Amino acid sequence: MIGMNSEMSGESTTPSTPVKTESTEVSAEDVFSYTRRDEFTSETLKIEIRNLPKHVGYDTLKKLLKRLDLKPLKTKLIGRPGAPTHSFVTFRCDEDREEAINKLHKYLWKNRELVVKKANPIADPLVEKRNERRREDNADAKRLKRLEDSEVSEEQLADTLNDKIASLWRMSYSQQLTEKYHLLKTCLLSLNKELTKIVTQSGEESTSLGVWLTRVTHEYDNKCCPLEDIRVSTLINGYRNKCEFTVGIDKTVGFRLGLYREGTVRVISPPINCPIISDHMRSAMNAVQTYITTKSRLNGFDPETHSGHWIQATVRTASTGSMIILVLNPQQLTAEEITQEKADILHFF
């Protein structure tokens, strides 16, 4: 299966139509250069909503926008859950944004008069982090720069990648189970505390919710439900039956060393000691690597400049075989070129 994908890594989104890659020459240190490319980004069509009512959630805000017949592309609440300080909403065109500002500004919602204005785009987190590394002279900045510039050994790269995709891999299996149990316990204790706070603030101690919460809190040692021991698996390594592999700029099929917002887009192939990859999964991944490297004429997608094509390979394995989904950005490829690429993939596999 081959998929067409043109969504940007970060806060902006591109339309489903082919993307133009020609762009104005800009400084490599310019954190807003992505807004001047000859392609769509909703970051330039954003509004900020302030003075939101208390206890507003994502779904509540979405319902308001729908009730007012607005056409939001993305909606994001800023602040603690249930107590947002403000919201950002993006749109697909300037007309939709202007309509939203006109309808929402000074709109009375739950006894609050909304304050709405145009919002500035966010800085590109990749470029921002790279600029920080240029300015800062600390161990973490140096470590990230060495990783990005290939100034570390293969063993160090392998350990760094394993830390990213299987953070407990250095522990024994019994230690991993203990760590996961404590993480779950902490989560349930925190959840119980939040529920207690909500019940108290809303004066619902005597309602069925309050009575239930009091009972389970005493019954399950300050947790809102029982936490059983983690069941031991018979398969400790190579257990992942679905992996999403990124295709790097250099066509490497593997995993990113870090997140885009952390300032790195480098992709490396999972090491031999990667604990989540089975032999079956690695065989399928290697087949994708061989096709993209030796058979395909298309390049790897660059999430910073939005040039190139191949983005991702999703592999799902089972006892009966494998399913592989290849995702690319069509850019200016013609329908005939895409059809030919599909035929080449079928022939290869």
Side-chain angles (χ1 to χ4, degrees):
M1 178 179 180
I2 183 168
M4 300 301 150
N5 187 308
S6 55
E7 184 172 343
M8 176 182 177
S9 301
E11 289 296 317
S12 57
T13 306
T14 52
S16 56
T17 53
V19 178
K20 298 179 181 179
T21 54
E22 297 85 9
S23 59
T24 306
E25 190 69 29
V26 293
S27 168
E29 299 180 3
D30 185 356
V31 295
F32 297 106
S33 62
Y34 75 93
T35 65
R36 293 186 290 280
R37 294 194 197 111
D38 189 15
E39 62 181 37
F40 174 82
T41 169
S42 62
E43 279 298 309
T44 60
L45 297 166
K46 187 166 63 174
I47 65 171
E48 180 181 355
I49 307 174
R50 288 197 171 269
N51 201 34
L52 293 168
K54 292 183 179 179
H55 309 303
V56 164
Y58 174 80
D59 290 338
T60 314
L61 180 57
K62 289 281 285 185
K63 287 178 182 177
L64 172 68
L65 300 178
K66 184 177 181 179
R67 189 165 69 244
L68 295 176
D69 291 324
L70 300 178
K71 306 177 188 68
L73 189 61
K74 292 190 294 183
T75 304
K76 187 174 184 179
L77 282 173
I78 308 298
R80 291 189 300 106
T85 57
H86 57 291
S87 171
F88 289 113
V89 183
T90 65
F91 299 87
R92 192 167 290 279
C93 63
D94 198 53
E95 291 77 11
D96 290 346
R97 179 171 69 165
E98 288 300 322
E99 181 185 9
I101 293 174
N102 293 333
K103 287 185 177 181
L104 288 170
H105 186 57
K106 294 188 177 181
Y107 181 84
L108 191 62
W109 188 33
K110 298 181 185 292
N111 297 320
R112 289 286 189 95
E113 190 177 85
L114 300 180
V115 178
V116 183
K117 65 176 183 179
K118 293 181 180 180
N120 294 323
I122 64 164
D124 186 323
L126 178 72
V127 180
E128 197 171 41
K129 280 294 181 182
R130 284 177 178 169
N131 290 344
E132 284 180 13
R133 292 207 294 269
R134 291 188 185 97
R135 294 190 298 267
E136 295 174 3
D137 185 24
N138 58 52
D140 187 55
K142 290 178 180 178
R143 178 185 65 82
L144 286 171
K145 188 177 188 306
R146 286 198 302 271
L147 288 174
E148 190 73 7
D149 297 342
S150 304
E151 297 176 4
V152 296
S153 67
E154 290 297 320
E155 184 178 355
Q156 287 174 303
L157 278 176
D159 287 351
T160 300
L161 185 62
N162 282 340
D163 287 337
K164 289 287 183 182
I165 62 178
S167 58
L168 305 182
W169 75 282
R170 297 176 188 269
M171 300 180 182
S172 67
Y173 185 55
S174 60
Q175 289 175 319
Q176 291 180 32
L177 295 185
T178 300
E179 177 70 14
K180 290 178 180 179
Y181 182 88
H182 285 308
L183 286 171
L184 289 169
K185 183 179 179 180
T186 300
C187 178
L188 289 176
L189 289 171
S190 176
L191 178 59
N192 194 79
K193 190 178 293 183
E194 287 294 318
L195 285 170
T196 302
K197 183 178 177 181
I198 291 170
V199 168
T200 302
Q201 289 180 344
S202 59
E204 296 186 23
E205 293 93 337
S206 59
T207 64
S208 57
L209 173 62
V211 172
W212 167 81
L213 186 59
T214 300
R215 178 179 62 80
V216 295
T217 297
H218 291 299
E219 187 174 346
Y220 302 126
D221 193 22
N222 291 318
K223 298 186 293 295
C224 55
C225 67
L227 176 59
E228 299 178 354
D229 291 336
I230 299 176
R231 297 174 186 175
V232 177
S233 173
T234 56
L235 183 64
I236 297 177
N237 293 314
Y239 51 83
R240 189 67 61 80
N241 73 335
K242 177 192 173 186
C243 285
E244 294 182 353
F245 299 106
T246 299
V247 181
I249 301 170
D250 61 355
K251 289 192 171 186
T252 297
V253 178
F255 297 115
R256 275 191 188 172
L257 280 172
L259 300 174
Y260 186 93
R261 64 174 178 268
E262 294 174 345
T264 179
V265 293
R266 188 178 177 192
V267 174
I268 67 169
S269 180
I272 296 299
N273 68 338
C274 181
I276 68 172
I277 303 289
S278 66
D279 292 340
H280 193 169
M281 178 69 70
R282 188 176 294 276
S283 176
M285 181 200 72
N286 288 340
V288 174
Q289 179 69 82
T290 300
Y291 173 78
I292 289 179
T293 304
T294 65
K295 304 297 181 181
S296 177
R297 295 161 293 133
L298 306 181
N299 295 320
F301 182 73
D302 185 336
E304 183 179 2
T305 65
H306 286 198
S307 59
H309 301 89
W310 291 115
I311 297 175
Q312 180 178 285
T314 299
V315 179
R316 184 184 291 277
T317 59
S319 58
T320 55
S322 304
M323 180 183 74
I324 300 173
I325 303 173
L326 300 176
V327 182
L328 62 78
N329 187 320
Q331 306 286 20
Q332 291 92 15
L333 292 176
T334 64
E336 291 76 16
E337 288 173 320
I338 292 173
T339 299
Q340 183 59 53
E341 192 71 30
K342 290 180 180 180
D344 292 344
I345 290 170
L346 289 173
H347 178 73
F348 175 81
F349 282 97

